[in-house]
Amino acid sequence: MRRKIIIDTDPGQDDAVAILLALASPDELEVLGITCVAGNVPLELTARNARMVCELAGRTDIKVFAGCDRPLQRKLVTAEHVHGKSGLDGIALPAPVMPLQEQHAVDFLIDTLRAEDSGSVTLVPIGPLTNIATALQRAPDIAGRIGQIVIMGGAYFEVGNITPAAEFNIFVDPEAAEIVFGAGVDLVVMPLDVTHKALTTRPRVEAFRAIPGKIGPAVASWTDFFERYDKEKYGTEGAPLHDPCTIAWLLRPELFIGRFINVEIETGGAFTTGMTVADWWRVTGRKPNATFIGDIDAEGFFALLTERLARL
Ligand code: BDR
Ligand code: CA
């Protein structure tokens, strides 16, 4: 069955690859819309970048919405040090021609979840959770109508990437994450524990670059860009390709292994704000609320990604 999805995003090169993977998979996924949030770069740029990615894929029909321009309670933290000034550094793409939708992303989320059959829409947040939390706060009735939320965010064994204790998407808006993780919705979480195993090694990047047409070389230029920073930081052969893990899970869940456990969000820690306190070893007796993924068949993931990108 074809799944209806809304991608909530802050592009970001890895967000862009996730969007392309979804658009390359129309037999399995129907992209109802792309909702943008402030994160890697400010909202104006994420909303621009999302449209540039749709245009790169020739999909000017996709509806792109701008959402929240700052976290619920905190000052926005961005990540230009990873993604570059534009958020999508690596290749110069033309300025977008397709319009941004006039409706606010949060209103689109609420209206769509109310209009579509209950349980039929999957949300895929791959940035800070501000838009999703705002929608849940404003319209609590939608919680029971969401089929599933597949999140890129958090970490347990890998702990943090923006602070020693926190992953970027959760750190930027921990209060929003707390709302989403407490909403009683079916959650699947792709933490750093898994995305740090999805590394852009040389042969994998060269396989992207060899795809005929413009998509493969664009993806290779993006990964080349953020690799510079990540390879030095982690001392690894390549950089983690975080966000596409969510879409890959929707397409091929058998590539992943995880556990249904309790995950709480630290909002008040002196040093640990934004930490995902994941009860991996089931030592608390707290109620499980998320399928927390820990492992990936990285070869299978990159084979899927390369094969799908070649279809665009
Ligand atoms: C997450 O943070 C962003 O920089 C990436 O796009 C990804 O969503 C990884 O921590
Ligand atoms: Ca992202």
Side-chain angles (χ1 to χ4, degrees):
M1 202 191 71
R2 219 168 157 227
R3 272 211 206 209
K4 294 178 178 177
I5 67 168
I6 298 173
I7 304 176
D8 187 75
T9 176
D10 62 339
Q13 293 90 349
D14 61 325
D15 299 75
V17 180
I19 293 169
L20 291 175
L21 178 58
L23 296 180
S25 308
D27 291 344
E28 297 97 340
L29 302 176
E30 181 186 354
V31 180
L32 298 180
I34 296 179
T35 52
C36 300
V37 68
N40 286 322
V41 285
L43 180 67
E44 206 183 309
L45 287 173
T46 62
R48 174 185 160 91
N49 292 345
R51 286 176 291 149
M52 279 161 39
V53 174
C54 290
E55 288 186 12
L56 178 69
R59 293 296 303 276
T60 49
D61 58 305
I62 299 288
K63 291 184 188 155
V64 178
F65 301 82
C68 300
D69 65 357
R70 73 194 74 157
L72 296 185
Q73 297 178 22
R74 294 169 193 261
K75 209 167 154 272
L76 177 65
V77 175
T78 53
E80 284 88 356
H81 58 293
V82 184
H83 300 276
K85 219 171 167 357
S86 74
L88 213 48
D89 284 22
I91 185 173
L93 293 174
V97 177
M98 64 189 275
L100 192 59
Q101 298 294 309
E102 276 176 21
Q103 194 180 22
H104 191 282
V106 171
D107 294 323
F108 170 73
L109 283 163
I110 295 171
D111 288 357
T112 306
L113 285 160
R114 285 179 176 162
E116 297 286 342
D117 290 344
S118 184
S120 69
V121 178
T122 297
L123 305 182
V124 188
I126 52 180
L129 288 159
T130 321
N131 285 342
I132 311 294
T134 306
L136 285 165
Q137 268 184 327
R138 209 179 285 168
D141 59 287
I142 62 170
R145 305 185 63 83
I146 300 171
Q148 195 166 50
I149 307 184
V150 185
I151 296 171
M152 190 280 131
Y156 178 64
F157 294 98
E158 289 285 307
V159 200
N161 61 356
I162 185 77
T163 73
E167 180 279 329
F168 180 78
N169 290 340
I170 307 294
F171 178 77
V172 171
D173 200 344
E175 285 75 20
E178 188 180 38
I179 290 170
V180 174
F181 278 74
V185 177
D186 179 355
L187 297 184
V188 177
V189 182
M190 292 289 161
L192 299 181
D193 305 342
V194 61
T195 67
H196 280 188
K197 293 174 184 155
L199 296 176
T200 57
T201 59
R202 261 316 84 197
R204 291 169 181 166
V205 175
E206 292 319 316
F208 293 149
R209 211 183 311 275
I211 298 171
K214 52 191 179 171
I215 305 280
V219 169
S221 74
W222 287 331
T223 60
D224 281 349
F225 182 85
F226 68 71
E227 259 189 13
R228 277 177 245 167
Y229 172 82
D230 277 351
K231 275 160 74 173
E232 195 181 315
K233 179 175 173 187
Y234 299 115
T236 46
E237 196 197 335
L241 199 49
H242 308 280
D243 292 340
C245 290
T246 54
I247 303 292
W249 187 87
L250 292 172
L251 298 171
R252 298 271 311 274
E254 67 279 8
L255 293 174
F256 299 87
I257 299 174
R259 290 184 176 195
F260 184 52
I261 57 169
N262 176 268
V263 182
E264 301 293 337
I265 309 297
E266 181 60 84
T267 56
F271 300 103
T272 54
T273 298
M275 187 172 190
T276 43
V277 182
D279 189 6
W280 184 262
W281 302 117
R282 300 191 174 108
V283 291
T284 65
R286 288 196 285 256
K287 200 171 163 226
N289 59 345
T291 300
F292 202 78
I293 306 296
D295 212 350
I296 181 173
D297 168 357
E299 282 304 325
F301 167 72
F302 279 94
L304 171 72
L305 189 50
T306 310
E307 180 259 315
R308 291 298 163 107
L309 293 176
R311 293 187 188 180
L312 281 173

